[in-house]
Amino acid sequence: MDINEVIPPELLLSILDYLYAEAIASIPLAPPTSPPLDHHPLLDMILVCRSWHQVIMGNPTFWTFIWIGAGARRQDPDGIRLKGVLRRSGLLPLSVMIAPESVAQFRAVEQALGDECHRISTLTLVRMDERVEGMPSAEDVQQFLQHPFPSLKRLSVGNIYTSNDSEQSDRLQIMVDSPQLQELSSHYHFIFPKSPSYLTSISLTSVYPFPSSPLIPSTFDLPSLLDLRISNCEPSAFLSAFITPSLRKLFVIDDVPASGPVPPLRLYPSLEEVQWTDRGPDHTFFAFLPLCPNLIRYSNYQMGHEKDIKFQFIDTPATVLSLLPGQLGDSGAPKSSSWPNLEEVLLDVGTCDEISSLIHAIPSLKRVRILQNFTTRLEDEARQREMELLPSLRKQVDVAFWLDPWGSNLGMHFGERLRV
């Protein structure tokens, strides 16, 4: 039986629409080193029969994702294939992924895309492990990003090389003309929209030191920003420069300590969740926390990466404990009479005595998670005392350990699970 009799054209088109959309949606804004898709998403379908081949080849919807610098698209010195795909996509919005280091003739790519930049809704520049002769210079990439992108909604710039010598790779600092941009991810380079009023999500990684250029403003008004992720950066520089009245979630991962005095920070009236990896006394964190009156959840580690924590190198209590009213310590942290109305605290290490301190200092507290209890490293007597204190604490708040679900009331079994 002919497959086209089993699957009528209307059903086939619906299936292809679904498969194509799923393939494109599976590609993260900031993908891993190698592009996750180096061929047409419907390649297997194209090869089924002539009829399906004609349907896919003739439908502009199935040519709106363009990948450059990977797989078969790597060898296209004159941009002929790229121009063919652009023609097939008609006038529809485009998602473009480029591996610049693997493009020998980047200027041909830039010329082919130049007249279509107004259609690009998602743009990703991804790093490849392999660099080719003739790879683009910093000036080439900068020239491309200086095109106007009036429809761009999502932009990701990886830690791409802009020189054959990785030691000489230039850090790009570019203000992009993309007034509709909503999601931004930038690694190593500082790429930012000239008009950032629609930005809802920003992720900055290894952008250090803070960019300094006459073309870059000292402050950025971000009225719509909801999520901010700062990794391997100096957070004080960005927190002081970003005006974020609507910010809901902040992630500070493996931060670089401030090189000088912490600049003035603003109030965060809408902030509800903070994940700030604990690297010991941090004056930026000390200045920041009292400015979050409506904070609900605080974690001193990156949630979802618990198994990456090297507990054997943690030998001091969580830094946030030194900020509790009435607590003593030598961290230099200023004590505050006010405390955010936290409902949930998650710490990498802790003891029942420290849980008790949290409960007394934060009346709004409802849940406490401790990944590893310090006393599991000590003698049986210390462990027994912890087990005796735990029931009374659980009458006041929900206490969970490691990745146990809330409300499970499971005990402390870290010695066996984590091989302490």
Side-chain angles (χ1 to χ4, degrees):
M1 179 179 292
D2 187 347
I3 191 171
N4 293 300
E5 295 179 4
V6 178
I7 304 178
E10 297 80 6
L11 179 57
L12 173 63
L13 196 58
S14 297
I15 293 173
L16 295 176
D17 278 337
Y18 174 80
L19 293 175
Y20 189 82
E22 283 289 297
I24 303 307
S26 67
I27 302 173
L29 176 60
T33 299
S34 298
L37 188 62
D38 62 356
H39 57 268
H40 194 282
L42 299 178
L43 178 60
D44 293 340
M45 301 296 180
I46 291 176
L47 301 176
V48 169
C49 65
R50 183 177 300 175
S51 177
W52 287 22
H53 179 275
Q54 292 175 344
V55 169
I56 295 171
M57 297 296 286
N59 193 321
T61 300
F62 303 140
W63 298 94
T64 56
F65 177 73
I66 299 174
W67 56 104
I68 304 166
R73 300 294 183 255
R74 183 175 299 182
Q75 302 299 326
D76 188 17
D78 299 320
I80 295 175
R81 290 174 178 163
L82 174 58
K83 293 175 183 177
V85 173
L86 289 171
R87 284 194 298 270
R88 291 186 186 280
S89 64
L91 300 176
L92 296 177
L94 301 172
S95 295
V96 179
M97 179 179 289
I98 309 175
E101 298 143 284
S102 299
V103 179
Q105 299 294 331
F106 189 81
R107 291 188 180 179
V109 170
E110 189 267 335
Q111 291 172 1
L113 287 175
D115 293 335
E116 307 296 337
C117 285
H118 66 282
R119 291 202 285 141
I120 298 178
S121 62
T122 298
L123 175 62
T124 301
L125 303 185
V126 64
R127 174 179 172 177
M128 290 283 285
D129 292 329
E130 178 183 356
R131 298 189 292 279
V132 301
E133 291 296 328
M135 61 177 284
S137 65
E139 290 75 17
D140 293 331
V141 177
Q142 184 158 335
Q143 180 174 326
F144 172 62
L145 291 177
Q146 285 178 341
H147 281 278
F149 295 89
S151 302
L152 190 63
K153 300 292 195 302
R154 307 170 76 223
L155 172 63
S156 174
V157 179
N159 56 336
I160 56 174
Y161 290 115
T162 54
S163 168
N164 279 309
D165 183 355
S166 60
E167 298 298 325
Q168 301 296 323
S169 185
D170 295 323
R171 288 182 183 268
L172 301 175
Q173 297 184 13
I174 304 174
M175 300 297 290
V176 182
D177 185 5
S178 53
Q180 299 297 317
L181 193 64
Q182 298 174 6
E183 298 178 46
L184 171 66
S185 175
S186 190
H187 192 150
Y188 186 75
H189 307 282
F190 184 76
I191 313 297
F192 215 80
K194 294 179 181 179
S195 302
S197 58
Y198 287 99
L199 274 175
T200 61
S201 174
I202 296 176
S203 176
L204 300 172
T205 303
S206 299
V207 182
Y208 178 81
F210 186 81
S212 58
S213 167
L215 301 178
I216 297 178
S218 58
T219 60
F220 299 84
D221 192 7
L222 305 168
S224 303
L225 190 67
L226 301 177
D227 299 326
L228 173 60
R229 178 179 292 270
I230 306 172
S231 304
N232 297 110
C233 301
E234 184 179 330
S236 62
F238 292 99
L239 293 176
S240 63
F242 290 172
I243 303 173
T244 57
S246 302
L247 189 65
R248 296 288 192 275
K249 295 182 179 181
L250 173 67
F251 306 85
V252 179
I253 312 300
D254 296 330
D255 60 303
V256 177
S259 56
V262 177
L265 305 180
R266 298 171 180 82
L267 190 69
Y268 297 87
S270 303
L271 192 61
E272 298 178 349
E273 178 176 348
V274 169
Q275 296 181 33
W276 192 310
T277 53
D278 195 340
R279 304 186 69 178
D282 185 332
H283 292 286
T284 302
F285 178 69
F286 296 157
F288 163 82
L289 193 60
L291 301 175
C292 310
N294 298 307
L295 191 64
I296 295 175
R297 172 192 281 178
Y298 165 75
S299 173
N300 78 336
Y301 59 87
Q302 186 178 7
M303 297 173 63
H305 294 261
E306 290 85 355
K307 295 182 181 179
D308 297 331
I309 299 175
K310 295 179 173 57
F311 291 98
Q312 67 270 28
F313 298 122
I314 302 176
D315 56 4
T316 57
T319 301
V320 71
L321 296 171
S322 65
L323 289 173
L324 296 176
Q327 299 299 306
L328 299 176
D330 58 0
S331 66
K335 302 299 184 294
S336 174
S337 58
S338 62
W339 192 259
N341 294 318
L342 284 165
E343 296 182 4
E344 192 172 309
V345 172
L346 303 93
L347 304 178
D348 49 11
V349 297
T351 66
C352 284
D353 285 331
E354 290 164 351
I355 295 175
S356 179
S357 297
L358 286 169
I359 293 173
H360 287 97
I362 312 174
S364 57
L365 195 60
K366 296 179 181 179
R367 294 173 295 280
V368 177
R369 180 178 299 279
I370 304 293
L371 295 183
Q372 184 181 126
N373 189 307
F374 261 156
T375 56
T376 60
R377 307 176 183 180
L378 304 177
E379 300 176 354
D380 290 342
E381 182 178 345
R383 298 186 186 190
Q384 182 61 33
R385 180 176 181 274
E386 290 290 294
M387 297 302 296
E388 293 172 353
L389 289 174
L390 184 57
S392 62
L393 298 176
R394 279 182 162 158
K395 291 179 180 179
Q396 303 174 71
V397 298
D398 188 351
V399 180
F401 297 96
W402 189 228
L403 301 179
D404 293 336
W406 296 113
S408 60
N409 290 330
L410 297 177
M412 296 173 279
H413 306 295
F414 310 115
E416 177 181 345
R417 294 185 188 180
L418 299 179
R419 299 180 181 178
V420 175

PDB file of all heavy atoms in Angstrom, residues 208-229:
ATOM      1  N   TYR A 208      34.299  39.536  32.291  1.00  0.00           N
ATOM      2  CA  TYR A 208      35.100  40.141  33.354  1.00  0.00           C
ATOM      3  C   TYR A 208      36.403  40.644  32.762  1.00  0.00           C
ATOM      4  O   TYR A 208      37.024  39.942  31.965  1.00  0.00           O
ATOM      5  CB  TYR A 208      35.381  39.093  34.444  1.00  0.00           C
ATOM      6  CG  TYR A 208      36.238  39.607  35.571  1.00  0.00           C
ATOM      7  CD1 TYR A 208      35.680  40.359  36.598  1.00  0.00           C
ATOM      8  CD2 TYR A 208      37.610  39.357  35.590  1.00  0.00           C
ATOM      9  CE1 TYR A 208      36.464  40.840  37.624  1.00  0.00           C
ATOM     10  CE2 TYR A 208      38.401  39.844  36.618  1.00  0.00           C
ATOM     11  CZ  TYR A 208      37.827  40.581  37.629  1.00  0.00           C
ATOM     12  OH  TYR A 208      38.601  41.067  38.659  1.00  0.00           O
ATOM     13  N   PRO A 209      36.823  41.858  33.064  1.00  0.00           N
ATOM     14  CA  PRO A 209      36.143  42.797  33.955  1.00  0.00           C
ATOM     15  C   PRO A 209      34.939  43.442  33.279  1.00  0.00           C
ATOM     16  O   PRO A 209      34.688  43.198  32.103  1.00  0.00           O
ATOM     17  CB  PRO A 209      37.231  43.836  34.242  1.00  0.00           C
ATOM     18  CG  PRO A 209      38.077  43.818  33.000  1.00  0.00           C
ATOM     19  CD  PRO A 209      38.091  42.378  32.551  1.00  0.00           C
ATOM     20  N   PHE A 210      34.218  44.245  34.045  1.00  0.00           N
ATOM     21  CA  PHE A 210      33.049  44.928  33.502  1.00  0.00           C
ATOM     22  C   PHE A 210      33.484  45.780  32.313  1.00  0.00           C
ATOM     23  O   PHE A 210      34.504  46.466  32.376  1.00  0.00           O
ATOM     24  CB  PHE A 210      32.404  45.798  34.576  1.00  0.00           C
ATOM     25  CG  PHE A 210      31.100  46.438  34.148  1.00  0.00           C
ATOM     26  CD1 PHE A 210      29.922  45.709  34.184  1.00  0.00           C
ATOM     27  CD2 PHE A 210      31.071  47.750  33.701  1.00  0.00           C
ATOM     28  CE1 PHE A 210      28.722  46.280  33.794  1.00  0.00           C
ATOM     29  CE2 PHE A 210      29.865  48.328  33.308  1.00  0.00           C
ATOM     30  CZ  PHE A 210      28.693  47.589  33.357  1.00  0.00           C
ATOM     31  N   PRO A 211      32.732  45.718  31.212  1.00  0.00           N
ATOM     32  CA  PRO A 211      33.147  46.449  30.002  1.00  0.00           C
ATOM     33  C   PRO A 211      33.238  47.951  30.227  1.00  0.00           C
ATOM     34  O   PRO A 211      32.402  48.541  30.916  1.00  0.00           O
ATOM     35  CB  PRO A 211      32.044  46.098  28.996  1.00  0.00           C
ATOM     36  CG  PRO A 211      30.878  45.676  29.823  1.00  0.00           C
ATOM     37  CD  PRO A 211      31.452  45.020  31.031  1.00  0.00           C
ATOM     38  N   SER A 212      34.269  48.522  29.660  1.00  0.00           N
ATOM     39  CA  SER A 212      34.446  49.970  29.746  1.00  0.00           C
ATOM     40  C   SER A 212      34.675  50.502  28.341  1.00  0.00           C
ATOM     41  O   SER A 212      35.638  50.135  27.671  1.00  0.00           O
ATOM     42  CB  SER A 212      35.640  50.312  30.640  1.00  0.00           C
ATOM     43  OG  SER A 212      36.825  49.712  30.158  1.00  0.00           O
ATOM     44  N   SER A 213      33.780  51.316  27.896  1.00  0.00           N
ATOM     45  CA  SER A 213      33.868  51.897  26.556  1.00  0.00           C
ATOM     46  C   SER A 213      32.989  53.139  26.521  1.00  0.00           C
ATOM     47  O   SER A 213      31.923  53.176  27.148  1.00  0.00           O
ATOM     48  CB  SER A 213      33.393  50.890  25.503  1.00  0.00           C
ATOM     49  OG  SER A 213      33.193  51.531  24.258  1.00  0.00           O
ATOM     50  N   PRO A 214      33.429  54.172  25.810  1.00  0.00           N
ATOM     51  CA  PRO A 214      32.585  55.379  25.683  1.00  0.00           C
ATOM     52  C   PRO A 214      31.224  55.075  25.065  1.00  0.00           C
ATOM     53  O   PRO A 214      30.275  55.845  25.243  1.00  0.00           O
ATOM     54  CB  PRO A 214      33.428  56.292  24.788  1.00  0.00           C
ATOM     55  CG  PRO A 214      34.831  55.807  24.921  1.00  0.00           C
ATOM     56  CD  PRO A 214      34.725  54.333  25.133  1.00  0.00           C
ATOM     57  N   LEU A 215      31.129  53.939  24.325  1.00  0.00           N
ATOM     58  CA  LEU A 215      29.874  53.596  23.658  1.00  0.00           C
ATOM     59  C   LEU A 215      28.927  52.816  24.562  1.00  0.00           C
ATOM     60  O   LEU A 215      27.783  52.572  24.188  1.00  0.00           O
ATOM     61  CB  LEU A 215      30.178  52.783  22.392  1.00  0.00           C
ATOM     62  CG  LEU A 215      31.067  53.467  21.337  1.00  0.00           C
ATOM     63  CD1 LEU A 215      31.325  52.525  20.174  1.00  0.00           C
ATOM     64  CD2 LEU A 215      30.427  54.763  20.855  1.00  0.00           C
ATOM     65  N   ILE A 216      29.396  52.410  25.731  1.00  0.00           N
ATOM     66  CA  ILE A 216      28.578  51.604  26.638  1.00  0.00           C
ATOM     67  C   ILE A 216      28.152  52.464  27.817  1.00  0.00           C
ATOM     68  O   ILE A 216      28.994  53.038  28.514  1.00  0.00           O
ATOM     69  CB  ILE A 216      29.359  50.370  27.125  1.00  0.00           C
ATOM     70  CG1 ILE A 216      29.688  49.472  25.933  1.00  0.00           C
ATOM     71  CG2 ILE A 216      28.574  49.600  28.170  1.00  0.00           C
ATOM     72  CD1 ILE A 216      30.501  48.257  26.285  1.00  0.00           C
ATOM     73  N   PRO A 217      26.863  52.585  28.077  1.00  0.00           N
ATOM     74  CA  PRO A 217      26.393  53.425  29.185  1.00  0.00           C
ATOM     75  C   PRO A 217      26.809  52.860  30.534  1.00  0.00           C
ATOM     76  O   PRO A 217      27.114  51.673  30.668  1.00  0.00           O
ATOM     77  CB  PRO A 217      24.866  53.415  29.012  1.00  0.00           C
ATOM     78  CG  PRO A 217      24.576  52.176  28.228  1.00  0.00           C
ATOM     79  CD  PRO A 217      25.759  51.952  27.341  1.00  0.00           C
ATOM     80  N   SER A 218      26.810  53.706  31.547  1.00  0.00           N
ATOM     81  CA  SER A 218      27.196  53.278  32.895  1.00  0.00           C
ATOM     82  C   SER A 218      26.051  52.589  33.618  1.00  0.00           C
ATOM     83  O   SER A 218      26.281  51.820  34.560  1.00  0.00           O
ATOM     84  CB  SER A 218      27.672  54.481  33.709  1.00  0.00           C
ATOM     85  OG  SER A 218      26.652  55.476  33.773  1.00  0.00           O
ATOM     86  N   THR A 219      24.812  52.849  33.195  1.00  0.00           N
ATOM     87  CA  THR A 219      23.647  52.191  33.778  1.00  0.00           C
ATOM     88  C   THR A 219      22.706  51.730  32.670  1.00  0.00           C
ATOM     89  O   THR A 219      22.698  52.299  31.571  1.00  0.00           O
ATOM     90  CB  THR A 219      22.876  53.118  34.739  1.00  0.00           C
ATOM     91  OG1 THR A 219      22.432  54.283  34.017  1.00  0.00           O
ATOM     92  CG2 THR A 219      23.747  53.549  35.910  1.00  0.00           C
ATOM     93  N   PHE A 220      21.923  50.697  32.993  1.00  0.00           N
ATOM     94  CA  PHE A 220      20.985  50.125  32.028  1.00  0.00           C
ATOM     95  C   PHE A 220      19.611  50.015  32.692  1.00  0.00           C
ATOM     96  O   PHE A 220      19.485  49.360  33.735  1.00  0.00           O
ATOM     97  CB  PHE A 220      21.451  48.733  31.584  1.00  0.00           C
ATOM     98  CG  PHE A 220      22.794  48.718  30.912  1.00  0.00           C
ATOM     99  CD1 PHE A 220      23.961  48.680  31.663  1.00  0.00           C
ATOM    100  CD2 PHE A 220      22.896  48.749  29.532  1.00  0.00           C
ATOM    101  CE1 PHE A 220      25.198  48.661  31.058  1.00  0.00           C
ATOM    102  CE2 PHE A 220      24.134  48.735  28.912  1.00  0.00           C
ATOM    103  CZ  PHE A 220      25.286  48.700  29.672  1.00  0.00           C
ATOM    104  N   ASP A 221      18.628  50.643  32.093  1.00  0.00           N
ATOM    105  CA  ASP A 221      17.261  50.573  32.611  1.00  0.00           C
ATOM    106  C   ASP A 221      16.590  49.331  32.037  1.00  0.00           C
ATOM    107  O   ASP A 221      16.365  49.229  30.832  1.00  0.00           O
ATOM    108  CB  ASP A 221      16.492  51.838  32.218  1.00  0.00           C
ATOM    109  CG  ASP A 221      15.170  51.950  32.958  1.00  0.00           C
ATOM    110  OD1 ASP A 221      14.913  51.125  33.856  1.00  0.00           O
ATOM    111  OD2 ASP A 221      14.392  52.866  32.627  1.00  0.00           O
ATOM    112  N   LEU A 222      16.257  48.371  32.914  1.00  0.00           N
ATOM    113  CA  LEU A 222      15.699  47.083  32.497  1.00  0.00           C
ATOM    114  C   LEU A 222      14.346  46.868  33.189  1.00  0.00           C
ATOM    115  O   LEU A 222      14.208  46.044  34.094  1.00  0.00           O
ATOM    116  CB  LEU A 222      16.668  45.954  32.866  1.00  0.00           C
ATOM    117  CG  LEU A 222      18.102  46.113  32.332  1.00  0.00           C
ATOM    118  CD1 LEU A 222      19.031  45.103  32.987  1.00  0.00           C
ATOM    119  CD2 LEU A 222      18.118  45.980  30.823  1.00  0.00           C
ATOM    120  N   PRO A 223      13.323  47.581  32.761  1.00  0.00           N
ATOM    121  CA  PRO A 223      12.035  47.550  33.468  1.00  0.00           C
ATOM    122  C   PRO A 223      11.308  46.213  33.398  1.00  0.00           C
ATOM    123  O   PRO A 223      10.475  45.924  34.247  1.00  0.00           O
ATOM    124  CB  PRO A 223      11.229  48.647  32.775  1.00  0.00           C
ATOM    125  CG  PRO A 223      11.818  48.741  31.395  1.00  0.00           C
ATOM    126  CD  PRO A 223      13.276  48.472  31.582  1.00  0.00           C
ATOM    127  N   SER A 224      11.614  45.387  32.374  1.00  0.00           N
ATOM    128  CA  SER A 224      10.887  44.128  32.194  1.00  0.00           C
ATOM    129  C   SER A 224      11.675  42.901  32.639  1.00  0.00           C
ATOM    130  O   SER A 224      11.168  41.779  32.555  1.00  0.00           O
ATOM    131  CB  SER A 224      10.497  43.957  30.712  1.00  0.00           C
ATOM    132  OG  SER A 224       9.732  45.045  30.249  1.00  0.00           O
ATOM    133  N   LEU A 225      12.889  43.101  33.118  1.00  0.00           N
ATOM    134  CA  LEU A 225      13.754  41.960  33.434  1.00  0.00           C
ATOM    135  C   LEU A 225      13.211  41.157  34.615  1.00  0.00           C
ATOM    136  O   LEU A 225      12.951  41.708  35.683  1.00  0.00           O
ATOM    137  CB  LEU A 225      15.171  42.435  33.752  1.00  0.00           C
ATOM    138  CG  LEU A 225      16.214  41.320  33.850  1.00  0.00           C
ATOM    139  CD1 LEU A 225      16.428  40.664  32.499  1.00  0.00           C
ATOM    140  CD2 LEU A 225      17.539  41.859  34.405  1.00  0.00           C
ATOM    141  N   LEU A 226      13.070  39.837  34.397  1.00  0.00           N
ATOM    142  CA  LEU A 226      12.559  38.936  35.424  1.00  0.00           C
ATOM    143  C   LEU A 226      13.641  37.999  35.964  1.00  0.00           C
ATOM    144  O   LEU A 226      13.652  37.688  37.153  1.00  0.00           O
ATOM    145  CB  LEU A 226      11.398  38.105  34.865  1.00  0.00           C
ATOM    146  CG  LEU A 226      10.192  38.876  34.337  1.00  0.00           C
ATOM    147  CD1 LEU A 226       9.156  37.924  33.752  1.00  0.00           C
ATOM    148  CD2 LEU A 226       9.567  39.723  35.443  1.00  0.00           C
ATOM    149  N   ASP A 227      14.533  37.527  35.082  1.00  0.00           N
ATOM    150  CA  ASP A 227      15.577  36.574  35.467  1.00  0.00           C
ATOM    151  C   ASP A 227      16.936  37.124  35.087  1.00  0.00           C
ATOM    152  O   ASP A 227      17.146  37.535  33.937  1.00  0.00           O
ATOM    153  CB  ASP A 227      15.376  35.224  34.770  1.00  0.00           C
ATOM    154  CG  ASP A 227      14.052  34.563  35.136  1.00  0.00           C
ATOM    155  OD1 ASP A 227      13.618  34.732  36.278  1.00  0.00           O
ATOM    156  OD2 ASP A 227      13.470  33.900  34.264  1.00  0.00           O
ATOM    157  N   LEU A 228      17.873  37.070  36.045  1.00  0.00           N
ATOM    158  CA  LEU A 228      19.244  37.518  35.795  1.00  0.00           C
ATOM    159  C   LEU A 228      20.205  36.461  36.311  1.00  0.00           C
ATOM    160  O   LEU A 228      20.134  36.060  37.481  1.00  0.00           O
ATOM    161  CB  LEU A 228      19.508  38.857  36.497  1.00  0.00           C
ATOM    162  CG  LEU A 228      20.956  39.380  36.455  1.00  0.00           C
ATOM    163  CD1 LEU A 228      21.410  39.596  35.017  1.00  0.00           C
ATOM    164  CD2 LEU A 228      21.073  40.678  37.259  1.00  0.00           C
ATOM    165  N   ARG A 229      21.082  35.987  35.435  1.00  0.00           N
ATOM    166  CA  ARG A 229      22.101  34.990  35.796  1.00  0.00           C
ATOM    167  C   ARG A 229      23.480  35.578  35.525  1.00  0.00           C
ATOM    168  O   ARG A 229      23.776  36.001  34.410  1.00  0.00           O
ATOM    169  CB  ARG A 229      21.913  33.707  34.987  1.00  0.00           C
ATOM    170  CG  ARG A 229      22.965  32.624  35.265  1.00  0.00           C
ATOM    171  CD  ARG A 229      22.700  31.383  34.442  1.00  0.00           C
ATOM    172  NE  ARG A 229      21.473  30.728  34.886  1.00  0.00           N
ATOM    173  CZ  ARG A 229      21.418  29.800  35.825  1.00  0.00           C
ATOM    174  NH1 ARG A 229      22.522  29.401  36.432  1.00  0.00           N
ATOM    175  NH2 ARG A 229      20.261  29.258  36.145  1.00  0.00           N
TER     176      ARG A 229
END
